[in-house]
Amino acid sequence: MNFRHIEASPMTPTIGAMISGVDLNNTRSEDVYEEIKQALWQYGVVFFRKQALKPEAYIRLGQNFGEMEQHEFFPHIEGHPQIQLISHQGTEAPETDRWHTDVTFRKKPNMVSILRITDLPPSGGDTMWMHAGAAFEALNPGMQQMLEGLQADHDLPWHFRRANIHERLAQRASAKSGMVVTANAQECKMIESTPTVSHPAVITHPYNGRKILFVNSIWTKRLLGMHMDLSDAVLNMLYEWVKKPEFMVRFRWEKDSVAMWDNCATQHYAVFDYAPHYRAGQRMTCGSFVPTLKQGAASPGAQPAALRQLIDTTRLQAASPQERQAVDAIFSALEGVDLNAVASAAQRR
Ligand SMILES: O=C(O)CCC(=O)C(=O)O
Ligand SMILES: [Fe+2]
């Protein structure tokens, strides 16, 4: 995509672009923000370097993506409830060193998350993102079709209990840090009061129509309509799948770097390799989306299934069992082939 006001350099063929040519502290132009938005939907995560963002400019950036939120469990900087604080010190891992999409336990998760790391450890503390649209597209059509028919439960209390978060929160509240602590008691209440929500296991991106694999290893509890053991097996297989480096980009923070991610299309992982050092950042979340799978859009998997309807069953009536078996085997084999990919490979030749 060509931009007029910004430059976007892709960091991998799958995900991530470095944006340059903008000074976020002095940007007022709607056109610039619009192009940043387009780059975000295209690349899944965009990065900026050397932006000593003042709170007003940070908020101005976030406002472009919809309503700014106050987070359920992060405290915020003084005077600016929109700017959340995250920090970590010590040897116990934070909860963000697992692949996840933010707050999918909500009916409407936030659309965009923005982060700047303000206190860097001496080394390490990178963040990684993966593109869950690319991960879905790389699955075989049979698997895509199965997943498109599934719903999954996302559940905050279930995750908090399994990770023993309430006990750890109590310890953290009494630990050091210059932040305004507003959470903790409230978080414990959330464990009791946040109901389970169901989302489709595959959703359609609201702005570019791409299909996105929408289960994650923090908040997704189970796939519905199947035995819990089978659900665990399928989910674990998918959690392994999303870890393919081909779907990922890794970002090394510098002072005054900013990362902004499409929380609908991506998952992220905060690498915890910097213990016992301190790492802290300012975070902002904005906009929201209702996870929805739009029916009717042809998926790569739908096409081979339609192929089966091409079999002239009247002619098959005269066929021997072996012949029928052979026809079945051929069509089953075709269901495992992405015909769109074959056709476009043929065109390239
Ligand atoms: O600390 C980081 O790099 C990211 C943490 C995270 O998961 C988040 O801010 O949503
Ligand atoms: Fe996160």
Side-chain angles (χ1 to χ4, degrees):
M1 188 186 289
N2 281 331
F3 296 108
R4 288 177 50 231
H5 304 280
I6 62 171
E7 280 149 44
S9 315
M11 292 167 67
T12 79
T14 316
I15 177 170
M18 182 64 72
I19 307 280
S20 54
V22 279
D23 169 6
L24 292 174
N25 271 332
N26 293 305
T27 298
R28 297 283 190 286
S29 152
E30 292 293 315
D31 295 344
V32 173
Y33 288 127
E34 185 54 35
E35 287 198 352
I36 293 173
K37 208 184 273 185
Q38 293 314 319
L40 185 60
W41 309 147
Q42 183 175 351
Y43 296 107
V45 53
V46 295
F47 305 101
F48 303 83
R49 296 277 190 205
K50 299 190 173 27
Q51 305 281 343
L53 263 191
K54 300 195 181 94
E56 297 70 28
Y58 199 0
I59 292 168
R60 214 165 44 236
L61 177 67
Q63 275 167 345
N64 286 285
F65 295 93
E67 203 179 320
M68 317 264 287
E69 59 182 30
Q70 292 186 35
H71 203 273
E72 283 97 336
F73 42 79
F74 291 127
H76 57 80
I77 68 169
E78 206 136 15
H80 296 288
Q82 307 95 325
I83 303 182
Q84 308 147 19
L85 280 167
I86 55 166
S87 67
H88 191 77
Q89 184 153 36
T91 50
E92 194 185 349
E95 274 307 302
T96 47
D97 62 338
R98 293 168 72 110
W99 285 100
H100 66 284
T101 303
D102 290 329
V103 297
T104 60
F105 56 82
R106 293 187 196 153
K107 280 203 170 82
K108 292 165 74 177
N110 68 283
M111 187 69 209
V112 174
S113 305
I114 316 177
L115 184 63
R116 52 191 298 249
I117 297 299
T118 47
D119 296 70
L120 294 153
S123 68
D126 295 355
T127 310
M128 301 176 74
W129 284 264
M130 60 77 54
H131 204 295
F136 179 74
E137 286 154 15
L139 287 167
N140 74 28
M143 180 64 78
Q144 289 178 333
Q145 252 181 325
M146 181 195 76
L147 293 171
E148 282 183 46
L150 293 175
Q151 296 272 321
D153 273 353
H154 296 238
D155 194 319
L156 174 137
W158 168 78
H159 169 65
F160 271 25
R161 286 202 187 92
R162 95 181 145 154
N164 227 358
I165 295 221
H166 38 318
E167 279 176 24
R168 287 202 254 156
L169 283 171
Q171 284 163 10
R172 248 179 251 169
S174 57
K176 72 146 258 186
S177 86
M179 61 176 59
V180 184
V181 177
T182 58
N184 291 309
Q186 195 187 334
E187 286 158 343
C188 292
K189 235 193 285 161
M190 281 179 67
I191 297 177
E192 307 311 325
S193 63
T194 308
T196 304
V197 300
S198 304
H199 298 305
V202 178
I203 61 169
T204 311
H205 192 278
Y207 300 118
N208 62 21
R210 212 168 158 184
K211 285 192 177 159
I212 311 288
L213 179 63
F214 200 66
V215 291
N216 70 85
S217 71
I218 289 194
W219 305 118
T220 309
K221 178 179 170 188
R222 66 176 302 171
L223 293 165
L224 300 178
M226 63 176 78
H227 195 285
M228 190 75 181
D229 291 350
L230 186 54
S231 159
D232 285 347
V234 174
L235 287 176
N236 286 331
M237 185 275 294
L238 293 171
Y239 300 154
E240 283 304 310
W241 180 245
V242 301
K243 290 182 199 162
K244 264 178 90 64
E246 286 81 354
F247 307 141
M248 291 179 192
V249 64
R250 179 171 182 143
F251 187 62
R252 179 151 302 168
W253 295 96
E254 291 170 6
K255 185 174 180 307
D256 298 330
S257 301
V258 177
M260 184 187 286
W261 64 94
D262 174 341
N263 190 50
C264 167
T266 63
Q267 298 189 19
H268 53 284
Y269 182 113
V271 180
F272 181 55
D273 56 357
Y274 52 86
H277 298 285
Y278 184 64
R279 177 181 183 271
Q282 296 183 354
R283 184 180 188 281
M284 191 180 284
T285 44
C286 16
S288 64
F289 65 102
V290 180
T292 313
L293 177 63
K294 289 208 181 92
Q295 299 298 343
S299 75
Q303 202 184 28
L307 248 183
R308 232 172 227 280
Q309 290 163 10
L310 297 177
I311 305 177
D312 183 345
T313 47
T314 52
R315 294 184 68 180
L316 269 183
Q317 275 164 12
S320 70
Q322 289 82 355
E323 284 166 334
R324 280 167 189 251
Q325 234 173 8
V327 171
D328 259 338
I330 291 166
F331 276 84
S332 301
L334 278 175
E335 278 172 4
V337 175
D338 183 348
L339 293 179
N340 287 330
V342 173
S344 47
Q347 270 168 9
R348 278 199 299 273
R349 254 182 236 128

